[in-house]
Amino acid sequence: KENEGFLTSKATRIAPDLCMELVSPNDRRADITATEANYRSLGVREIVYIDQQRFKVRVLRRRGDTGDDYDEETLDAGKPLVLQTMNAVKLEWDWIFTEPRPDEIDTVLSLLASV
């Protein structure tokens, strides 16, 4: 919220805190690698790749306040995705990978209860 003034319709004036990518079956590995390199060079604090085809979540978190050094984590089935850049909001594994998706209202209420 505090970075809202840095966003315009044409550009971002600072690196976003969080970038989330849904990996499509048509995405090539080279495209994903290029996107990741771009996010790293911008200094994005938390980068998340969700691959629903492979039931895989890959999370990169920048170490420290500057630099391009990142810790990488691949989540195992059943482990929730905790978004540190969003005050540790927790997204349950089933919310991401189970069909049908859970009810939106129930999900929002669950998220609000944890804040």
Side-chain angles (χ1 to χ4, degrees), residues 63-92:
R63 277 190 221 132
D65 292 332
T66 59
D68 60 355
D69 204 14
Y70 284 76
D71 291 320
E72 182 174 336
E73 177 183 17
T74 301
L75 303 181
D76 296 324
K79 186 173 180 184
L81 169 58
V82 179
L83 299 171
Q84 293 178 356
T85 53
M86 294 184 66
N87 295 324
V89 165
K90 181 170 46 169
L91 303 178
E92 298 295 338

Side-chain angles (χ1 to χ4, degrees), residues 16-37:
D17 294 329
L18 169 67
C19 287
M20 294 182 78
E21 292 277 338
L22 294 176
V23 177
S24 153
N26 298 330
D27 286 340
R28 296 182 321 207
R29 183 71 195 141
D31 295 332
I32 295 169
T33 301
T35 301
E36 180 182 323

